[in-house]
Coordinates of all heavy atoms in Angstrom, one line a residue:
M1 N -13.9 -12.0 17.7 CA -12.9 -11.2 17.0 C -11.6 -11.9 16.9 O -11.1 -12.4 17.9 CB -12.8 -9.9 17.7 CG -12.2 -8.8 16.8 SD -13.1 -8.4 15.3 CE -13.9 -6.9 15.8
N2 N -11.1 -12.1 15.7 CA -9.9 -12.8 15.5 C -8.8 -11.8 15.0 O -8.8 -11.4 13.9 CB -10.0 -13.9 14.5 CG -8.8 -14.8 14.5 OD1 -7.7 -14.4 14.9 ND2 -9.0 -16.0 14.0
N3 N -7.9 -11.5 15.9 CA -6.9 -10.5 15.6 C -5.8 -11.0 14.6 O -5.0 -10.2 14.2 CB -6.2 -10.0 16.8 CG -7.2 -9.1 17.6 OD1 -8.0 -8.4 17.1 ND2 -7.1 -9.2 18.9
S4 N -5.8 -12.3 14.3 CA -4.8 -12.8 13.4 C -5.1 -12.5 11.9 O -4.3 -12.7 11.0 CB -4.6 -14.3 13.6 OG -5.7 -15.0 13.0
F5 N -6.3 -11.9 11.7 CA -6.7 -11.6 10.3 C -6.1 -10.3 9.9 O -6.2 -9.3 10.6 CB -8.2 -11.5 10.1 CG -8.8 -12.9 10.0 CD1 -8.9 -13.7 11.1 CD2 -9.4 -13.3 8.8 CE1 -9.5 -15.0 11.0 CE2 -10.0 -14.6 8.7 CZ -10.0 -15.4 9.8
P6 N -5.4 -10.3 8.8 CA -4.8 -9.0 8.3 C -5.8 -8.1 7.6 O -6.9 -8.6 7.3 CB -3.8 -9.5 7.3 CG -4.4 -10.7 6.7 CD -5.2 -11.3 7.8
I7 N -5.5 -6.9 7.4 CA -6.4 -6.0 6.6 C -6.1 -6.3 5.2 O -5.1 -6.8 4.8 CB -6.1 -4.5 6.9 CG1 -4.8 -4.1 6.4 CG2 -6.3 -4.2 8.4 CD1 -4.6 -2.6 6.5
C8 N -7.1 -6.0 4.3 CA -7.0 -6.3 2.9 C -5.9 -5.5 2.3 O -5.7 -4.3 2.5 CB -8.3 -6.0 2.2 SG -8.2 -6.3 0.4
H9 N -5.0 -6.2 1.5 CA -3.9 -5.5 0.9 C -4.3 -4.7 -0.3 O -3.6 -3.9 -0.8 CB -2.9 -6.6 0.4 CG -2.2 -7.2 1.5 ND1 -1.1 -8.0 1.3 CD2 -2.4 -7.2 2.8 CE1 -0.6 -8.5 2.5 NE2 -1.4 -8.0 3.4
H10 N -5.6 -4.8 -0.7 CA -6.0 -4.1 -1.9 C -6.9 -2.9 -1.5 O -6.7 -1.8 -2.1 CB -6.9 -5.0 -2.8 CG -6.1 -6.2 -3.3 ND1 -5.1 -6.2 -4.2 CD2 -6.2 -7.5 -2.9 CE1 -4.6 -7.4 -4.4 NE2 -5.3 -8.2 -3.6
C11 N -7.8 -3.1 -0.6 CA -8.7 -2.0 -0.3 C -8.7 -1.5 1.1 O -9.4 -0.6 1.5 CB -10.2 -2.4 -0.7 SG -10.8 -3.6 0.4
N12 N -7.9 -2.1 1.9 CA -7.6 -1.6 3.3 C -8.7 -2.0 4.3 O -8.7 -1.6 5.4 CB -7.5 -0.1 3.3 CG -6.5 0.3 4.3 OD1 -5.6 -0.4 4.8 ND2 -6.5 1.6 4.8
H13 N -9.7 -2.8 3.9 CA -10.8 -3.2 4.8 C -10.2 -4.3 5.7 O -9.5 -5.2 5.3 CB -12.0 -3.6 4.1 CG -12.9 -2.5 3.7 ND1 -12.7 -1.8 2.5 CD2 -14.0 -2.0 4.3 CE1 -13.7 -0.9 2.4 NE2 -14.4 -0.9 3.5
A14 N -10.7 -4.3 7.0 CA -10.2 -5.3 7.9 C -11.3 -6.2 8.3 O -11.0 -7.3 8.8 CB -9.6 -4.6 9.1
T15 N -12.5 -5.9 8.1 CA -13.6 -6.6 8.7 C -14.2 -7.7 7.8 O -14.9 -8.6 8.2 CB -14.7 -5.7 9.1 OG1 -15.2 -4.9 8.0 CG2 -14.3 -4.8 10.2
Q16 N -13.9 -7.6 6.5 CA -14.5 -8.6 5.6 C -13.5 -9.6 5.0 O -13.7 -10.1 3.9 CB -15.2 -7.8 4.4 CG -16.2 -6.7 4.9 CD -17.4 -7.4 5.5 OE1 -17.9 -8.4 5.0 NE2 -17.9 -6.8 6.6
V17 N -12.5 -9.8 5.7 CA -11.4 -10.7 5.2 C -11.6 -12.1 5.8 O -11.8 -12.3 7.0 CB -10.0 -10.2 5.6 CG1 -9.0 -11.2 5.2 CG2 -9.8 -8.8 4.9
K18 N -11.6 -13.1 4.9 CA -11.8 -14.5 5.3 C -10.6 -15.3 4.9 O -10.0 -15.0 3.9 CB -13.1 -15.0 4.8 CG -14.3 -14.4 5.3 CD -15.6 -15.1 4.9 CE -16.8 -14.4 5.5 NZ -16.8 -14.4 6.9
K19 N -10.4 -16.4 5.6 CA -9.4 -17.3 5.1 C -9.8 -18.0 3.8 O -10.9 -18.2 3.6 CB -9.1 -18.3 6.2 CG -8.3 -17.8 7.4 CD -7.8 -18.9 8.3 CE -7.0 -18.2 9.4 NZ -6.5 -19.3 10.4
H20 N -8.8 -18.2 3.0 CA -9.1 -18.7 1.6 C -8.1 -19.8 1.3 O -7.4 -19.8 0.2 CB -9.0 -17.5 0.7 CG -9.5 -17.9 -0.7 ND1 -10.9 -18.1 -0.9 CD2 -8.9 -18.0 -1.9 CE1 -11.0 -18.4 -2.2 NE2 -9.9 -18.3 -2.8
G21 N -7.9 -20.8 2.2 CA -7.0 -21.9 1.9 C -5.6 -21.5 2.0 O -5.2 -20.4 2.5
K22 N -4.7 -22.4 1.5 CA -3.3 -22.1 1.5 C -2.7 -22.1 0.1 O -3.2 -22.9 -0.7 CB -2.6 -23.2 2.4 CG -3.1 -23.1 3.9 CD -1.9 -22.9 4.8 CE -2.5 -22.7 6.2 NZ -2.1 -23.8 7.1
S23 N -1.7 -21.4 0.0 CA -1.0 -21.4 -1.3 C -0.1 -22.7 -1.4 O 0.0 -23.4 -0.4 CB -0.1 -20.2 -1.5 OG 1.0 -20.3 -0.6
R24 N 0.4 -22.9 -2.6 CA 1.2 -24.1 -2.8 C 2.4 -24.2 -1.9 O 2.9 -25.2 -1.5 CB 1.7 -24.2 -4.2 CG 0.7 -24.9 -5.1 CD 1.3 -25.1 -6.5 NE 1.7 -23.8 -7.1 CZ 2.5 -23.7 -8.2 NH1 3.0 -24.7 -8.7 NH2 2.8 -22.5 -8.6
T25 N 2.9 -23.0 -1.5 CA 4.0 -22.9 -0.6 C 3.6 -23.0 0.8 O 4.5 -22.9 1.7 CB 4.8 -21.6 -0.9 OG1 3.9 -20.5 -1.0 CG2 5.6 -21.8 -2.2
G26 N 2.3 -23.1 1.1 CA 1.9 -23.3 2.5 C 1.5 -22.1 3.2 O 1.2 -22.1 4.4
F27 N 1.5 -21.0 2.5 CA 1.2 -19.7 3.2 C -0.3 -19.5 3.2 O -1.0 -19.9 2.2 CB 1.9 -18.5 2.6 CG 3.4 -18.6 2.7 CD1 4.2 -18.4 1.6 CD2 4.0 -18.8 4.0 CE1 5.6 -18.5 1.8 CE2 5.3 -18.8 4.1 CZ 6.1 -18.7 3.0
Q28 N -0.8 -18.9 4.3 CA -2.2 -18.6 4.4 C -2.7 -17.6 3.3 O -2.0 -16.6 3.1 CB -2.5 -18.1 5.8 CG -4.0 -17.8 6.0 CD -4.8 -19.1 5.9 OE1 -4.6 -20.0 6.6 NE2 -5.9 -19.1 5.1
R29 N -3.7 -17.9 2.6 CA -4.3 -17.0 1.7 C -5.6 -16.4 2.3 O -6.3 -17.1 3.1 CB -4.6 -17.7 0.3 CG -3.4 -18.2 -0.3 CD -3.7 -18.9 -1.6 NE -4.2 -17.9 -2.6 CZ -4.6 -18.2 -3.8 NH1 -4.7 -19.5 -4.2 NH2 -5.0 -17.3 -4.7
Y30 N -5.9 -15.2 1.9 CA -7.1 -14.6 2.3 C -8.0 -14.1 1.2 O -7.5 -13.8 0.1 CB -6.8 -13.4 3.2 CG -6.0 -13.8 4.5 CD1 -4.6 -13.8 4.5 CD2 -6.7 -14.2 5.6 CE1 -3.9 -14.2 5.6 CE2 -6.0 -14.6 6.8 CZ -4.7 -14.6 6.8 OH -4.0 -14.9 7.9
Y31 N -9.3 -14.0 1.5 CA -10.2 -13.5 0.5 C -10.9 -12.3 1.1 O -11.5 -12.4 2.2 CB -11.2 -14.6 0.1 CG -12.2 -14.1 -0.9 CD1 -11.9 -13.9 -2.3 CD2 -13.5 -13.9 -0.6 CE1 -12.8 -13.5 -3.2 CE2 -14.5 -13.5 -1.5 CZ -14.1 -13.3 -2.8 OH -15.0 -12.9 -3.7
C32 N -11.0 -11.2 0.3 CA -11.6 -10.0 0.8 C -13.0 -9.9 0.2 O -13.1 -9.9 -1.1 CB -10.8 -8.8 0.5 SG -11.7 -7.2 0.9
L33 N -14.1 -9.8 1.0 CA -15.4 -9.8 0.5 C -15.8 -8.4 -0.1 O -16.7 -8.2 -0.8 CB -16.4 -10.1 1.6 CG -16.4 -11.6 2.1 CD1 -17.2 -11.7 3.3 CD2 -16.8 -12.5 1.0
V34 N -15.0 -7.4 0.3 CA -15.3 -6.0 -0.2 C -14.8 -5.9 -1.6 O -15.6 -5.5 -2.5 CB -14.6 -5.0 0.7 CG1 -14.8 -3.6 0.2 CG2 -15.1 -5.1 2.2
C35 N -13.6 -6.2 -1.9 CA -13.1 -6.0 -3.3 C -13.0 -7.3 -4.1 O -12.7 -7.3 -5.2 CB -11.8 -5.3 -3.3 SG -10.4 -6.2 -2.5
R36 N -13.4 -8.4 -3.4 CA -13.4 -9.7 -4.0 C -12.1 -10.1 -4.6 O -12.0 -10.7 -5.7 CB -14.5 -9.8 -5.1 CG -15.9 -9.6 -4.4 CD -17.0 -9.7 -5.5 NE -18.3 -9.6 -4.8 CZ -19.4 -9.7 -5.5 NH1 -19.5 -9.8 -6.8 NH2 -20.6 -9.6 -4.8
K37 N -11.0 -9.9 -3.9 CA -9.7 -10.3 -4.4 C -9.1 -11.1 -3.3 O -9.4 -11.0 -2.1 CB -8.8 -9.0 -4.6 CG -9.2 -8.3 -5.9 CD -8.3 -7.1 -6.0 CE -8.7 -6.3 -7.3 NZ -8.1 -5.0 -7.3
T38 N -8.2 -12.0 -3.7 CA -7.5 -12.8 -2.8 C -6.1 -12.2 -2.6 O -5.6 -11.5 -3.5 CB -7.3 -14.2 -3.3 OG1 -6.6 -14.2 -4.5 CG2 -8.6 -14.9 -3.4
F39 N -5.5 -12.4 -1.5 CA -4.1 -12.0 -1.2 C -3.5 -12.9 -0.2 O -4.2 -13.6 0.5 CB -4.1 -10.6 -0.8 CG -4.7 -10.3 0.5 CD1 -4.0 -10.3 1.7 CD2 -6.1 -10.0 0.6 CE1 -4.6 -10.0 2.9 CE2 -6.7 -9.7 1.8 CZ -5.9 -9.7 3.0
Q40 N -2.2 -13.0 -0.1 CA -1.6 -13.7 0.9 C -0.6 -12.8 1.6 O -0.2 -11.8 1.0 CB -1.0 -15.0 0.4 CG 0.0 -14.8 -0.7 CD 0.4 -16.1 -1.4 OE1 -0.4 -16.7 -2.1 NE2 1.6 -16.6 -1.2
T41 N -0.2 -13.2 2.8 CA 0.6 -12.2 3.6 C 2.1 -12.5 3.5 O 2.8 -11.7 4.0 CB 0.2 -12.3 5.1 OG1 0.3 -13.7 5.5 CG2 -1.2 -11.8 5.3
R42 N 2.5 -13.5 2.8 CA 3.9 -13.8 2.9 C 4.7 -13.5 1.6 O 5.9 -13.5 1.6 CB 4.1 -15.3 3.3 CG 3.6 -15.6 4.6 CD 4.2 -14.8 5.7 NE 3.6 -15.0 7.0 CZ 4.1 -15.7 7.9 NH1 5.2 -16.3 7.8 NH2 3.4 -15.9 9.1
Y43 N 4.0 -13.4 0.5 CA 4.7 -13.2 -0.8 C 5.4 -11.9 -0.9 O 6.2 -11.6 -1.8 CB 3.9 -13.6 -2.0 CG 2.7 -12.8 -2.3 CD1 2.7 -11.7 -3.1 CD2 1.4 -13.2 -1.8 CE1 1.5 -10.9 -3.4 CE2 0.3 -12.5 -2.0 CZ 0.3 -11.3 -2.8 OH -0.8 -10.7 -3.1
V44 N 5.0 -11.0 0.0 CA 5.7 -9.7 0.1 C 7.1 -9.9 0.4 O 8.0 -9.0 0.2 CB 5.0 -8.7 1.1 CG1 3.6 -8.3 0.6 CG2 5.0 -9.3 2.5
Y45 N 7.4 -11.0 1.1 CA 8.8 -11.2 1.4 C 9.7 -11.3 0.2 O 10.9 -11.0 0.3 CB 9.0 -12.6 2.2 CG 8.4 -12.5 3.6 CD1 7.6 -11.5 4.0 CD2 8.8 -13.5 4.5 CE1 7.1 -11.5 5.3 CE2 8.3 -13.5 5.8 CZ 7.5 -12.5 6.2 OH 7.0 -12.5 7.5
K46 N 9.2 -11.6 -0.9 CA 9.9 -11.7 -2.1 C 10.0 -10.4 -2.8 O 10.6 -10.2 -3.9 CB 9.4 -12.8 -3.1 CG 9.6 -14.2 -2.5 CD 8.8 -15.2 -3.3 CE 8.9 -16.6 -2.7 NZ 7.9 -17.5 -3.2
G47 N 9.3 -9.4 -2.3 CA 9.3 -8.1 -2.9 C 8.6 -7.9 -4.2 O 8.8 -6.9 -4.9
N48 N 7.6 -8.8 -4.5 CA 6.9 -8.6 -5.7 C 5.4 -8.2 -5.4 O 4.5 -8.5 -6.2 CB 6.9 -9.9 -6.5 CG 6.4 -11.1 -5.8 OD1 6.0 -11.0 -4.6 ND2 6.4 -12.2 -6.4
E49 N 5.2 -7.6 -4.3 CA 3.8 -7.1 -4.0 C 3.9 -5.6 -4.0 O 4.4 -5.0 -3.1 CB 3.4 -7.7 -2.6 CG 2.3 -7.0 -1.9 CD 1.0 -7.2 -2.5 OE1 0.7 -6.5 -3.5 OE2 0.2 -8.0 -2.0
D50 N 3.3 -5.0 -5.0 CA 3.4 -3.5 -5.1 C 2.2 -2.9 -4.3 O 2.4 -1.7 -3.9 CB 3.4 -3.0 -6.5 CG 2.1 -3.5 -7.3 OD1 1.5 -4.5 -6.9 OD2 1.8 -2.8 -8.3
K51 N 1.2 -3.6 -4.1 CA 0.1 -3.0 -3.3 C 0.5 -2.7 -1.9 O 0.1 -1.7 -1.3 CB -1.1 -3.9 -3.3 CG -1.8 -4.1 -4.6 CD -2.6 -2.9 -5.0 CE -3.6 -3.2 -6.2 NZ -2.9 -3.7 -7.3
I52 N 1.3 -3.5 -1.4 CA 1.7 -3.4 0.0 C 2.4 -2.1 0.3 O 2.3 -1.5 1.4 CB 2.6 -4.6 0.5 CG1 2.5 -4.8 2.0 CG2 4.0 -4.5 0.1 CD1 1.2 -5.4 2.4
E53 N 3.1 -1.6 -0.7 CA 3.8 -0.4 -0.5 C 2.9 0.8 -0.3 O 3.1 1.6 0.5 CB 4.7 -0.1 -1.8 CG 5.5 1.1 -1.6 CD 6.4 1.4 -2.9 OE1 6.4 0.5 -3.8 OE2 7.0 2.5 -2.9
K54 N 1.8 0.8 -1.1 CA 0.8 1.8 -0.9 C 0.1 1.7 0.4 O -0.3 2.7 1.0 CB -0.2 1.7 -2.1 CG 0.4 2.1 -3.4 CD -0.7 2.3 -4.5 CE -0.1 2.8 -5.8 NZ 0.9 1.8 -6.3
Q55 N -0.2 0.5 0.8 CA -0.8 0.2 2.1 C 0.0 0.8 3.3 O -0.4 1.4 4.2 CB -1.1 -1.3 2.4 CG -2.2 -1.8 1.5 CD -3.6 -1.4 2.0 OE1 -3.7 -0.6 2.8 NE2 -4.6 -2.0 1.4
I56 N 1.3 0.4 3.2 CA 2.2 0.9 4.2 C 2.3 2.4 4.2 O 2.3 3.1 5.3 CB 3.6 0.3 4.0 CG1 3.6 -1.2 4.3 CG2 4.7 1.0 4.9 CD1 4.8 -2.0 3.8
E57 N 2.3 3.0 3.0 CA 2.4 4.4 2.9 C 1.2 5.1 3.5 O 1.2 6.1 4.2 CB 2.5 4.8 1.4 CG 3.2 6.1 1.2 CD 3.4 6.3 -0.3 OE1 4.1 5.5 -1.0 OE2 2.8 7.3 -0.9
R58 N 0.0 4.5 3.2 CA -1.2 5.0 3.7 C -1.3 5.0 5.2 O -1.7 6.0 5.9 CB -2.4 4.3 3.1 CG -3.8 4.9 3.3 CD -4.9 4.1 2.8 NE -4.6 3.5 1.5 CZ -5.4 2.7 0.9 NH1 -6.6 2.3 1.4 NH2 -5.1 2.2 -0.3
L59 N -1.0 3.8 5.8 CA -1.1 3.7 7.2 C -0.1 4.6 7.9 O -0.4 5.1 9.0 CB -0.9 2.2 7.6 CG -2.0 1.3 7.2 CD1 -1.6 -0.2 7.4 CD2 -3.3 1.6 7.9
S60 N 1.1 4.7 7.3 CA 2.1 5.6 7.8 C 1.6 7.0 7.9 O 1.8 7.7 8.8 CB 3.4 5.4 7.0 OG 4.3 6.4 7.4
T61 N 1.0 7.4 6.8 CA 0.5 8.8 6.7 C -0.6 9.0 7.7 O -0.8 10.1 8.2 CB -0.1 9.0 5.2 OG1 0.9 8.7 4.3 CG2 -0.6 10.5 5.1
Q62 N -1.4 8.0 8.0 CA -2.4 8.1 9.0 C -1.9 8.1 10.4 O -2.6 8.2 11.4 CB -3.4 6.9 8.9 CG -4.3 7.0 7.6 CD -5.1 5.8 7.4 OE1 -4.9 4.8 8.0 NE2 -5.9 5.8 6.3
G63 N -0.6 8.0 10.6 CA 0.0 8.1 11.9 C 0.3 6.8 12.6 O 0.6 6.8 13.8
H64 N 0.1 5.7 11.9 CA 0.4 4.4 12.5 C 1.9 4.2 12.6 O 2.6 4.5 11.7 CB -0.2 3.3 11.7 CG -1.7 3.3 11.7 ND1 -2.5 2.7 12.7 CD2 -2.6 3.9 10.8 CE1 -3.8 2.9 12.4 NE2 -3.9 3.6 11.3
L65 N 2.3 3.6 13.7 CA 3.7 3.3 13.9 C 4.1 2.0 13.1 O 3.2 1.2 12.8 CB 3.9 3.0 15.4 CG 3.7 4.2 16.4 CD1 3.8 3.8 17.8 CD2 4.7 5.3 16.1
P66 N 5.3 1.9 12.8 CA 5.8 0.8 12.0 C 5.4 -0.6 12.6 O 5.0 -1.5 11.9 CB 7.3 1.0 11.9 CG 7.5 2.4 12.1 CD 6.4 2.9 13.0
Q67 N 5.5 -0.7 13.9 CA 5.2 -1.9 14.6 C 3.7 -2.3 14.3 O 3.4 -3.4 14.1 CB 5.5 -1.8 16.1 CG 5.4 -3.1 16.8 CD 6.6 -4.0 16.5 OE1 7.8 -3.6 16.7 NE2 6.4 -5.2 15.9
A68 N 2.8 -1.3 14.4 CA 1.4 -1.5 14.2 C 1.1 -1.9 12.8 O 0.2 -2.7 12.6 CB 0.6 -0.2 14.7
I69 N 1.8 -1.2 11.9 CA 1.6 -1.5 10.5 C 2.0 -3.0 10.2 O 1.3 -3.7 9.5 CB 2.4 -0.5 9.6 CG1 1.8 0.9 9.8 CG2 2.3 -0.9 8.1 CD1 2.7 2.0 9.1
S70 N 3.1 -3.3 10.7 CA 3.6 -4.7 10.6 C 2.6 -5.7 11.1 O 2.4 -6.7 10.4 CB 5.0 -4.8 11.4 OG 5.3 -6.2 11.4
T71 N 2.0 -5.4 12.2 CA 1.0 -6.3 12.8 C -0.3 -6.4 11.9 O -0.8 -7.4 11.6 CB 0.6 -5.9 14.2 OG1 1.8 -5.9 15.0 CG2 -0.3 -6.9 14.8
S72 N -0.7 -5.2 11.5 CA -1.9 -5.1 10.7 C -1.8 -5.8 9.4 O -2.7 -6.5 8.9 CB -2.3 -3.6 10.4 OG -2.6 -3.0 11.6
L73 N -0.7 -5.6 8.7 CA -0.6 -6.2 7.3 C 0.1 -7.6 7.4 O 0.2 -8.3 6.4 CB 0.3 -5.3 6.5 CG -0.3 -3.9 6.2 CD1 0.7 -3.0 5.5 CD2 -1.5 -4.0 5.4
Q74 N 0.5 -8.0 8.6 CA 1.2 -9.2 8.8 C 2.4 -9.4 7.8 O 2.6 -10.4 7.2 CB 0.3 -10.4 8.6 CG -0.8 -10.5 9.7 CD -1.6 -11.7 9.7 OE1 -1.2 -12.7 9.0 NE2 -2.6 -11.8 10.6
V75 N 3.2 -8.3 7.8 CA 4.5 -8.4 7.1 C 5.6 -8.0 8.1 O 5.3 -7.5 9.2 CB 4.5 -7.4 5.9 CG1 3.5 -7.7 4.9 CG2 4.4 -5.9 6.4
R76 N 6.8 -8.4 7.7 CA 7.9 -8.2 8.7 C 8.1 -6.7 8.9 O 7.9 -5.9 8.0 CB 9.2 -8.8 8.1 CG 9.2 -10.3 8.3 CD 10.5 -10.8 7.9 NE 11.0 -10.4 6.6 CZ 12.0 -11.0 6.0 NH1 12.7 -11.9 6.6 NH2 12.4 -10.5 4.8
L77 N 8.5 -6.3 10.1 CA 8.8 -5.0 10.4 C 9.9 -4.4 9.5 O 9.8 -3.2 9.1 CB 9.3 -4.9 11.9 CG 9.6 -3.5 12.4 CD1 8.4 -2.6 12.4 CD2 10.1 -3.5 13.8
S78 N 10.8 -5.2 9.1 CA 11.9 -4.7 8.2 C 11.3 -4.3 6.8 O 11.7 -3.4 6.1 CB 12.9 -5.8 8.0 OG 12.4 -7.0 7.5
T79 N 10.2 -5.1 6.4 CA 9.5 -4.8 5.2 C 8.8 -3.4 5.3 O 8.9 -2.6 4.4 CB 8.5 -5.9 4.8 OG1 9.1 -7.1 4.8 CG2 7.8 -5.6 3.5
V80 N 8.2 -3.2 6.4 CA 7.5 -1.9 6.6 C 8.5 -0.8 6.6 O 8.3 0.2 5.9 CB 6.8 -1.9 8.0 CG1 6.1 -0.5 8.3 CG2 5.7 -3.0 8.0
L81 N 9.6 -0.9 7.3 CA 10.6 0.1 7.3 C 11.2 0.4 6.0 O 11.5 1.5 5.6 CB 11.7 -0.2 8.4 CG 11.2 -0.3 9.8 CD1 12.3 -0.8 10.7 CD2 10.7 1.1 10.3
H82 N 11.3 -0.7 5.2 CA 11.9 -0.6 3.9 C 11.0 0.3 3.0 O 11.5 1.1 2.2 CB 12.0 -2.0 3.3 CG 12.4 -2.0 1.8 ND1 13.7 -1.7 1.5 CD2 11.7 -2.2 0.7 CE1 13.8 -1.7 0.1 NE2 12.6 -2.0 -0.4
Y83 N 9.7 0.1 3.1 CA 8.8 0.9 2.2 C 8.4 2.2 2.8 O 7.9 3.1 2.0 CB 7.5 0.0 2.0 CG 7.7 -1.1 1.0 CD1 7.5 -2.4 1.3 CD2 8.1 -0.8 -0.3 CE1 7.7 -3.4 0.4 CE2 8.3 -1.8 -1.2 CZ 8.1 -3.1 -0.8 OH 8.3 -4.1 -1.7
M84 N 8.5 2.4 4.1 CA 8.1 3.7 4.6 C 9.1 4.8 4.1 O 10.3 4.7 4.1 CB 8.2 3.7 6.2 CG 6.9 3.1 6.8 SD 7.0 3.1 8.6 CE 6.6 4.8 8.9
K85 N 8.4 5.9 3.7 CA 9.2 7.0 3.3 C 9.6 7.9 4.5 O 8.8 8.1 5.4 CB 8.3 7.9 2.4 CG 7.7 7.2 1.2 CD 8.5 7.5 -0.1 CE 8.3 6.5 -1.2 NZ 6.9 6.5 -1.7
P86 N 10.8 8.3 4.5 CA 11.3 9.1 5.6 C 10.5 10.4 5.6 O 10.3 11.0 4.6 CB 12.8 9.3 5.4 CG 13.0 9.0 3.9 CD 11.9 8.0 3.5
K87 N 10.1 10.8 6.8 CA 9.4 12.1 6.9 C 10.4 13.2 7.2 O 11.1 13.3 8.1 CB 8.4 12.0 8.1 CG 7.2 11.1 7.8 CD 6.3 11.0 9.0 CE 5.2 10.1 8.7 NZ 4.4 9.8 10.0
N88 N 10.4 14.2 6.3 CA 11.2 15.3 6.4 C 10.4 16.6 6.3 O 9.8 16.9 5.4 CB 12.3 15.4 5.4 CG 13.3 14.2 5.6 OD1 13.7 14.0 6.7 ND2 13.8 13.6 4.5
Ligands
ZN1 ZN1 -10.3 -5.8 -0.2

């Protein structure tokens, strides 16, 4: 079991994700066997990943703590907190 693998940013599966080379900027890319899409974990830093918002929202709704979501999606904690909707 390799805990460094993130969950899929598209379909939320964690077990069928494989490494898929590196992007031109040197970031690790991943390929999900479930939805057959690639994703990388770092381009969310630029704020142009809209799927990540839904993932964060979903995990948050499921009761995951921001720190755990950050680890699962391999995005910065500040990114998670940015997208998390305040619970009122
Ligand atoms: Zn997937």
Side-chain angles (χ1 to χ4, degrees):
M1 199 56 105
N2 189 340
N3 288 328
S4 72
F5 280 70
I7 66 172
C8 176
H9 289 190
H10 302 287
C11 70
N12 216 24
H13 276 86
T15 56
Q16 303 293 319
V17 174
K18 294 189 179 302
K19 284 189 176 178
H20 192 66
K22 297 237 173 113
S23 71
R24 269 186 304 167
T25 46
F27 295 128
Q28 181 64 54
R29 299 179 67 184
Y30 296 93
Y31 177 74
C32 174
L33 293 172
V34 177
C35 64
R36 297 181 175 181
K37 286 178 183 167
T38 60
F39 65 92
Q40 56 192 72
T41 53
R42 299 301 174 100
Y43 60 93
V44 293
Y45 286 16
K46 290 169 187 169
N48 58 357
E49 159 72 281
D50 59 338
K51 293 286 195 304
I52 205 74
E53 184 178 354
K54 291 189 175 62
Q55 290 284 9
I56 290 169
E57 206 176 299
R58 188 184 319 175
L59 291 172
S60 170
T61 304
Q62 289 171 353
H64 294 273
L65 295 172
Q67 191 73 57
I69 296 171
S70 169
T71 304
S72 295
L73 298 175
Q74 292 190 11
V75 298
R76 287 190 303 194
L77 183 59
S78 58
T79 305
V80 176
L81 294 173
H82 174 74
Y83 283 119
M84 275 183 78
K85 302 260 164 64
K87 289 177 183 171
N88 290 319

